[in-house]
Every structure is written in structure tokens, then in C-alpha cells.
Amino acid sequence: MQQSEVAEAVRRAAAGDRGAWDALVESFSGMMWSVATGHRLGPADAAEVVQTTWLRLLENLDRIREPERVGGWLATTARREALRLLAHRARELPAHDEVRLDREQAGTPTPEDVFLGGERDRLVSEAFARLPDRCRQLLQLVVVVSPPYAEVAAALDMPIGSIGPTRARCLERLRRLLATTDPAVDVRGAGGR
């Protein structure tokens, strides 16, 4: 679907048009499954993420400010739902396992590791927020969500051949922003394809 068609489908779906809703589901379900399985979720958990993401869209359909960008909204929401599910699963300890909570065996980071990691994350987050909207959207999809380029091209309405070079320019811009705040932060490994 083109951006104008997506925007129209969102508006019609918000007005109760079942056909428009079905068109959105057909257009974006593959991308959402890709996001969910990209987080190494099994089929049942991936299905839960996709279903919850559609529910979130349904709940917010009349509040979408940029309906032509609903693909990015869905990708971000699916990523957040996958991460939420993974965090929930990580807190579950099977009762039948003999789990040792020994710090060294569990690989628990030291307080220093936690602080330094948090500081690095804060610096990257601040630099990321200073990027232009287009770069933020592209990097969030390509680096964080990592669906196939065809889905990124459709979600951002850009030629598939320009995704890689644009991603490289955006990452370089992020590196320059980080270098002005803390030269020790390195993002060279981010977003490799």
C-alpha cells in the first residue's frame, strides 16, 4: 500500500470499515511477525505479540496523528510488546529447576557494569533524540526491529535501494553526535546487515 492508501485505510478503519481494517492486517501482519520472530520468540509468543499489537492499534486507531506512518507505529509497538513479553518471561523461574542464584554463576553484572552500561545507554539515547525524524524512524526500524528491507521500504515509503546508504549516513551522523559528547561511546557495531 502507498502512504496515501495507508492513511485512507486507517481513517476508514477508525470509522468502522471492516474492509479497511482487513487491508491493514493484510499489509502489515508480515512485518509484525518478522519483528516478533526477530526477537527469537516461539510461534505462540510471536502470535501473542502480533495479536496484542493489533489490539493496541484498535484501541488507538482514532488517535493516530500520522495515519500514513501506521507501519512504523505498528513496528515500534510490536517491538515493545516483544520486549515486554521477553522481560516477563525472564522473571519466570520454573519451579522444577534447581536454580542457583549465585552471583557469579548467574552472570549478574557488578554495580560498576550496570552504571557504565546505563551511562552509555543514556548518551546514545540523547544523541539519538537529536537526529532528524527520518533518521530516527529508519534506524529504529532497521537497527532495532530489523525486518526485511522490503517492509522497511513500504513502511517509510522510500526506495529499497536507498535504505542501506541512508542507514549508513544516519549512523555516521549518530557517531558524530556521540563524539561531541563522549568519544569513548562506540556505535560501529550497530545495524550491520
Side-chain angles (χ1 to χ4, degrees):
M1 293 174 83
Q2 298 295 321
Q3 278 190 329
S4 60
E5 294 172 320
V6 170
E8 182 59 26
V10 169
R11 287 185 198 99
R12 288 187 9 238
D17 184 335
R18 175 68 185 205
W21 177 261
D22 291 344
L24 290 171
V25 170
E26 184 177 329
S27 294
F28 294 107
S29 285
M31 176 194 60
M32 289 166 39
W33 275 94
S34 177
V35 169
T37 57
H39 283 83
R40 298 179 188 232
L41 296 176
D45 287 340
E48 182 178 335
V49 165
V50 171
Q51 182 177 358
T52 303
T53 302
W54 283 120
L55 178 62
R56 297 288 177 256
L57 178 61
L58 187 59
E59 293 169 343
N60 294 288
L61 202 52
D62 57 344
R63 289 182 282 211
I64 301 289
R65 288 180 289 191
E66 297 179 74
E68 66 278 1
R69 296 182 181 219
V70 76
W73 188 95
L74 287 166
T76 300
T77 303
R79 179 184 58 82
R80 288 179 181 155
E81 288 300 327
L83 293 173
R84 182 195 56 76
L85 185 66
L86 286 169
H88 177 74
R89 296 282 190 261
R91 288 191 300 265
E92 295 176 353
L93 291 176
H96 58 44
D97 283 353
E98 291 182 21
V99 179
R100 294 185 183 177
L101 298 178
D102 181 353
R103 254 187 108 131
E104 293 165 9
Q105 188 171 355
T108 304
T110 66
E112 293 84 10
D113 292 337
V114 171
F115 172 77
L116 292 173
E119 183 65 13
R120 182 201 62 235
D121 291 349
R122 182 187 64 77
L123 291 170
V124 171
S125 181
E126 287 174 2
F128 186 80
R130 294 193 330 244
L131 287 173
D133 287 342
R134 188 76 167 167
C135 276
R136 285 197 317 264
Q137 290 169 349
L138 178 65
L139 291 178
Q140 189 168 23
L141 275 174
V142 174
V143 176
V144 179
V145 178
S146 197
Y149 273 9
E151 292 176 15
V152 174
L156 297 178
D157 191 33
M158 66 187 303
I160 198 167
S162 69
I163 293 172
T166 304
R167 174 189 56 113
R169 285 190 299 273
C170 290
L171 284 172
E172 182 55 36
R173 195 171 201 170
L174 181 60
R175 283 185 197 103
R176 285 194 310 267
L177 287 169
L178 284 167
T180 63
T181 57
D182 187 350
V185 178
D186 185 10
V187 295
R188 272 177 282 192
R193 277 246 186 242

